[in-house]
Every structure is written in structure tokens, then in C-alpha cells.
Amino acid sequence: MSSSTIRTAVIGYGLAGKVFHCPFVHAVPGLELSAIVVKSPDRSAAAAAAYPDARILATPEEVFADPTIDLIVIGTPNDSHFTLAHAALTAGKHVVVDKPLTTSSAEARTLIDLAKSKNKILAPFHNRRYDNDFLTVHKLKDEGILGRITQVIAHFDRFRPLVRPNTWKESGPFNGLLFDLGPHLVDQALALFGPPARVTAVLHEDRDITDIEDYIAITFEYDLTLPDGTPRTLSYECHATMLAADPAPRFRVHGTLGSYVKQGLDPQESALLHKGARPPQMGSQEPWLPEPESAWGTLTLGTKLTEPVELSRNPYPSVTGDYRLYYANVRDAINGTAPLAIPAEDGYRVVRLLELARESATQKCTLPITFD
């Protein structure tokens, strides 16, 4: 395929479309933000003001039928992902779908098969692989700085004690934390260590008034083997809650040589949502949100491992996160110049693990991991 401009339409201009999709599509050379589908008149006006060169449309069918649109990004409520992605693929479009890819693994498999039959890209939007904290943990793992990693404890904590009005995220079986923040946590575990062997999960409704799961704790167990054949286990914990006024560290990682602890979230979401920041065009000299040293995590290493153990504790520079890299890879995959970094199969595996986590919580037991 030639590397001509990829005309892109974003469906939805809520949090997903406004913060995570439109700004980053717009900032990647080779992608053109050609259309935005918005139902709300107020949001239509805001989208038009932010992206005056994009057409503002009222229905998804308009972009499905438009032969000039190459790529469709779906940033709508979770239970609409399958229907919209199926229609977009059927219309011969490449598709990016916000997490979760679908609300069932069977639906995900159907989309994967359809994308293959149409020879189109189907990309789950697991953008948190481009967060600074995850990239830093990945670097520590790849370089072996912590030795053999034995435990990872990952948190996405919020403090939202009251139900938010007028949002689909506060009702329905697929809109609680399991299918909201759970996909990010689970995808990061898969990206770091691959499929686990077992899962144990606890899901709660903790707030005084709530219609969704607002607390999740998922533990994955990985079976490892030392070079001499001795068995060992890696534990990876995924936590999220809406009742953490004082959040736990984003990552706490322990290994045979030391530990890494990171507080706070990647600054990209907050900068776009609360400060009105916009990422510059990729390739420009303008930096995009490197984290200040004051926010770096702490790396604690054993400088002497025999008793008495001696430790060094120092700030560890964060790898700069950049969601533009996600869309740059989608562009390259469509053009045939690079493999898709986060393929649809990864989206399927995430949804399957979420299903097993819910089953584990319901049965109050540990379950083996199986993929259909």
C-alpha cells in the first residue's frame, strides 16, 4: 500500500474522542482528521471549534458510506463497540476501537475473523502501553535491573464517592471498573509477561450508592522455572477503586535485586483534560510532557546482598510517555511499513481474561487461564 494520507474519522466526542483520539490523530503526520461524528449539539460546536478542518457529522452511517474515509476510530460506550466495528469493517475500513475491544471474547473473535477476511487493520486502543510508568517498568524488566521479577502490584485508583450524573459509565454490566480500567491493567500484564496460568479476582460495589463494580482486585499467577529446573511463581496484581482519596503507588515492582515504586499517573490525560494542552505535530522540536524529576519513581537496589543487606535508593528517570506513538504505528501498519504493535488478538485476550476474572469473583475461586 502507498503511504498517502490516511483519512480518518472519529466516532464519538466524549472523553475518549476529545482527549485520547482526536488530538493524537491530528498530531501524527500521515493521518488526517477528516470527520468527527457527534450527536450532542454542544459537543458538535466544541469539536468544530477545536478542529475546523474536520467535517462534523451526526451519524456513523455517514462515514461508513464515505469512500474517502480510510480509518474509523470508535470512541463510544462499551456496549456499542462490536456493532460499530462490525459495520466499519464490513464497509471496508480500517478500525481502531477504544478499550475494551468488545464486551465478550466471542464478539472479539468475530471481529478478528471479519478483519482478516477484509484484509483490514483492527487495532484495540490500549494506549496505556505508551504511559511513562509502564514504559519505565518495561525498561527495567528488559534490562534486568531488578533481577528476576517476583511481584508486580499495579493500581489505577480514583476518588469518586458519589455517582456521576449523566454518564453511561455509571450503569450496566460492562461499564464498571472491570471493563473501564481493567482493560488497561490486564493489557499491561500481558504486554510484560504474556498469558498467565491462573486468575483469582474479587469485585465489589463499595460506594453507598452504585450500580457498577467500583472495586476490582485481580491476581494473575505465572509459572516460572529457574535455569536449574526449580519452579517459581510470579504474582501480578491489578487493582482499581473509586474510593482511594490517597491513591496507592501506580506500580510497585519487586525482584531478586531490588524494587521500583512509582507514584502518580502519566501527565498526558490530565494535561489534555484539565489544562487544554494539545500534543504538537510529531517530528517537531517541541517536547511533549517529559515528567519532572520530582515525579520520578524510586529505584531501590541491593548493593550488598549478603547479610547485613545494604541498599541504595535513588530517583529513577521516567521514560517519557507519548500516545502519538500508538497512532504512528497504526499509520505504519496500514501503509504496510511496520507490524501492528498491539494486534486485535491482544484485545481478544484482554476481554477473555476479564471474563475469567468475573467468573472467578462469582465462584470465589482460582481459575486456570484458557483461550478459545
Side-chain angles (χ1 to χ4, degrees):
M1 180 177 292
S2 67
S3 57
S4 58
T5 298
I6 298 167
R7 293 173 56 83
T8 305
V10 174
I11 301 178
Y13 199 70
L15 175 66
K18 180 180 179 180
V19 173
F20 292 111
H21 295 299
C22 289
F24 294 98
V25 170
H26 188 261
V28 173
L31 298 181
E32 177 186 289
L33 183 57
S34 303
I36 307 172
V37 177
V38 197
K39 289 184 178 180
S40 162
D42 290 342
R43 289 181 178 176
S44 295
Y51 302 99
D53 294 333
R55 290 178 294 139
I56 308 301
L57 305 175
T59 67
E61 288 71 23
E62 293 175 81
V63 292
F64 298 153
D66 187 341
T68 69
I69 295 296
D70 306 300
L71 169 65
I72 292 178
V73 177
I74 297 170
T76 56
N78 296 347
D79 58 7
S80 67
H81 289 181
F82 174 76
T83 300
L84 291 172
H86 194 281
L89 289 167
T90 300
K93 312 299 184 183
H94 301 286
V95 182
V96 167
V97 187
D98 209 296
K99 54 77 191 170
L101 178 61
T102 56
T103 56
S104 78
S105 58
E107 289 180 339
R109 180 58 64 203
T110 297
L111 291 184
I112 291 171
D113 292 343
L114 178 58
K116 288 180 180 177
S117 72
K118 296 288 186 177
N119 196 28
K120 295 299 177 183
I121 293 294
L122 172 63
F125 188 65
H126 294 165
N127 64 306
R128 295 290 182 175
R129 290 201 200 179
Y130 297 96
D131 274 1
N132 62 359
D133 44 40
F134 173 75
L135 291 170
T136 304
V137 171
H138 209 307
K139 178 176 184 286
L140 290 166
K141 172 184 175 291
D142 288 349
E143 296 182 0
I145 292 174
L146 299 176
R148 176 173 54 84
I149 293 175
T150 61
Q151 184 182 35
V152 179
I153 305 170
H155 279 257
F156 261 118
D157 292 342
R158 302 282 191 264
F159 189 60
R160 292 171 177 159
L162 302 180
V163 173
R164 293 164 292 171
N166 305 317
T167 174
W168 54 268
K169 290 191 175 185
E170 291 283 1
S171 63
F174 301 109
N175 299 328
L177 288 184
L178 183 65
F179 275 79
D180 181 21
L181 298 178
H184 291 314
L185 291 160
V186 170
D187 177 66
Q188 290 181 339
L190 286 168
L192 283 170
F193 298 106
R198 291 170 299 280
V199 60
T200 308
V202 176
L203 310 178
H204 287 170
E205 297 176 0
D206 279 352
R207 295 177 297 178
D208 293 336
I209 300 173
T210 187
D211 291 325
I212 59 169
E213 300 149 340
D214 52 21
Y215 168 90
I216 65 172
I218 305 169
T219 300
F220 295 120
E221 292 178 275
Y222 290 82
D223 291 333
L224 309 177
T225 304
L226 299 185
D228 65 0
T230 304
R232 289 291 184 266
T233 300
L234 162 65
S235 174
Y236 195 114
E237 300 179 25
C238 304
H239 298 267
T241 178
M242 288 187 175
L243 290 179
D246 186 7
R250 174 67 185 88
F251 274 104
R252 187 181 293 273
V253 185
H254 301 302
T256 55
L257 297 181
S259 298
Y260 172 73
V261 177
K262 178 67 173 71
Q263 299 279 355
L265 295 173
D266 184 290
Q268 294 180 85
E269 177 181 354
S270 178
L272 272 77
L273 186 60
H274 302 299
K275 301 177 183 178
R278 288 271 290 273
Q281 276 285 301
M282 203 168 190
S284 70
Q285 297 302 309
E286 184 180 350
W288 173 237
L289 296 180
E291 190 171 55
E293 184 174 349
S294 60
W296 290 353
T298 300
L299 179 65
T300 303
L301 295 176
T303 56
K304 176 173 171 288
L305 300 182
T306 56
E307 292 294 336
V309 171
E310 296 177 1
L311 301 173
S312 67
R313 182 173 288 107
N314 295 288
Y316 188 78
S318 294
V319 178
T320 300
D322 191 344
Y323 300 151
R324 295 176 302 180
L325 295 172
Y326 174 90
Y327 273 110
N329 174 254
V330 169
R331 173 202 63 198
D332 294 345
I334 291 173
N335 286 329
T337 60
L340 191 62
I342 307 174
E345 194 68 28
D346 288 8
Y348 160 80
R349 293 195 303 174
V350 165
V351 174
R352 177 60 180 154
L353 289 179
L354 295 176
E355 290 175 334
L356 289 169
R358 178 165 282 162
E359 185 178 345
S360 167
T362 299
Q363 297 184 14
K364 296 181 170 59
C365 67
T366 298
L367 295 175
I369 302 299
T370 59
F371 296 102
D372 298 332

